[in-house]
């Protein structure tokens, strides 16, 4: 198996394959214990994971992956939801610890949520996890109830699609909020696996499907959501992509499958969930014998270790979709670093959103 070399000039490719080295570096630099200690001193009732787009998906993955472990309620609340209806959330009934994720830290909704917190919830502690030292999330932190986690410079992707930024923000939060995760051990392990799996990922990318579905259970269902977004973004919509949960897929969304549809199942390590994943793979291969169906996970077509928590395997699952989508974007003749170049419809940082004043 050989890694394709013709896509090496793309920054998005370099940023994707740099993730293992970034994780190794960050495993010893992330100030997990200091952050945990600060959180322990803060008064709050709930933990909110906030962001927009891929940064919001991090929250969904964390909430699903930490289910049953947290002592305080966890909520995934996209900034796009809060900004649209701020007083429905920031109403004084609960004091949240607001964890803001942002690659640039400068999107319109990020700027708005910081203003709204100052206006409607000034006592709410904030933890800003960001990749850009010049963004608002990094610069608006001079306050006793705010802490900033600035990721390595290499995570501030220059390409349109979030790759290293996504995985490293997610893993940072895993280190902070998952008591079972020891980043000094987990990140080098994931780095080694990513390096090992990369040739298999590239081999799978040789054939571009007409459309694709990603499914999984628990946090891997929301990994499937991010995976589908990567394919949509990097193919500029030329490859329709759907995501769902393993058990939810049969309830209507399976109608998406046509000849030429590829189906990727992210296999769980969870002892119960993995039974349903295996059942679905078997069913799909019987019902769609001519469709490419690929399983990634323990004992899957692409075999990965069985992790203590499926949350920890998310960067590998999404890493597969990143590699596939970059290759397919290149095959389509697109600008991989900016698939919408010249269209003026989507941009790397969403900034052209009119933010309305909060109604009194």
């Amino acid at each position: 198996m050989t890694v394709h070399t013709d896509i090496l000039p793309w920054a998005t490719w370099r940023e994707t394959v740099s993730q293992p080295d970034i994780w190794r570096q960050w495993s010893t630099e992330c100030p997990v214990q200091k952050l945990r200690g600060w959180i322990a001193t803060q008064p709050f009732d709930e933990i909110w994971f906030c962001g927009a787009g891929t940064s919001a998906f991090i929250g969904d993955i964390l909430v699903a992956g930490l289910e049953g472990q947290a002592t305080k309620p966890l909520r995934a609340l996209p900034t796009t939801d809060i900004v649209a209806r701020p007083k429905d959330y920031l109403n004084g009934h609960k004091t949240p610890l607001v964890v803001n994720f942002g690659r640039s830290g400068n999107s319109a909704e990020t700027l708005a949520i910081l203003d709204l917190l100052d206006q409607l919830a000034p006592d709410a502690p904030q933890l800003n996890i960001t990749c850009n030292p010049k963004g608002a999330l990094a610069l608006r932190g001079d306050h006793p109830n705010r802490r900033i986690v600035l990721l390595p410079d290499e995570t501030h992707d220059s390409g349109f699609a979030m790759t290293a930024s996504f995985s490293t923000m997610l893993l940072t939060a895993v280190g902070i909020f998952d008591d079972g995760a020891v980043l000094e051990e987990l990140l080098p392990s994931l780095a080694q696996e990513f390096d090992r799996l990369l040739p298999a990922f590239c081999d799978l990318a040789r054939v571009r499907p007409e459309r694709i579905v990603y499914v999984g259970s628990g946090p891997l269902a929301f990994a499937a959501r991010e995976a589908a977004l990567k394919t949509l973004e990097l193919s500029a919509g030329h490859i329709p992509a759907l995501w769902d949960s393993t058990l939810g897929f049969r309830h209507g969304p399976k109608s998406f499958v046509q000849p030429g549809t590829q189906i990727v199942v992210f296999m769980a390590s969870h002892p119960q969930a993995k039974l349903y994943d295996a059942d679905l793979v078997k069913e799909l291969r019987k019902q769609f014998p001519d469709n490419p169906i690929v399983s990634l996970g323990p004992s899957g077509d692409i075999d990965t270790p069985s992790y203590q928590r499926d949350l920890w395997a998310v960067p590998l699952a999404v890493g597969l979709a990143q590699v596939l989508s970059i290759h397919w974007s290149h095959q389509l003749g697109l600008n991989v670093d900016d698939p919408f170049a010249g269209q003026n419809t989507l941009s790397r940082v969403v900034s052209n959103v009119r933010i309305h004043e909060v109604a009194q």
Side-chain angles (χ1 to χ4, degrees), residues 206-225:
R206 293 181 185 278
V207 179
R208 187 176 74 249
E210 296 295 321
R211 49 176 57 194
I212 192 166
V213 180
Y214 299 93
V215 298
S217 300
L220 291 171
F222 294 105
R225 185 183 191 186

Side-chain angles (χ1 to χ4, degrees), residues 181-200:
V182 180
L183 290 193
E184 293 92 335
E185 299 173 1
L186 176 60
L187 268 61
S189 171
L190 288 171
Q192 181 179 343
E193 283 303 308
F194 193 102
D195 283 338
R196 181 183 70 84
L197 294 169
L198 181 58

Side-chain angles (χ1 to χ4, degrees), residues 92-124:
H93 296 163
K94 300 279 187 180
T95 299
L97 165 62
V98 180
V99 183
N100 288 307
F101 298 102
R103 173 174 66 175
S104 72
N106 276 331
S107 72
E109 293 87 358
T110 295
L111 300 177
I113 193 66
L114 294 175
D115 290 339
L116 288 168
L117 288 168
D118 286 346
Q119 178 182 352
L120 300 177
D123 296 327

Side-chain angles (χ1 to χ4, degrees), residues 48 75 85-96 120-121:
W48 294 2
R75 300 181 69 184
R85 300 183 297 151
K87 286 192 173 181
D88 289 357
Y89 299 99
L90 301 171
N91 50 30
H93 296 163
K94 300 279 187 180
T95 299
L120 300 177

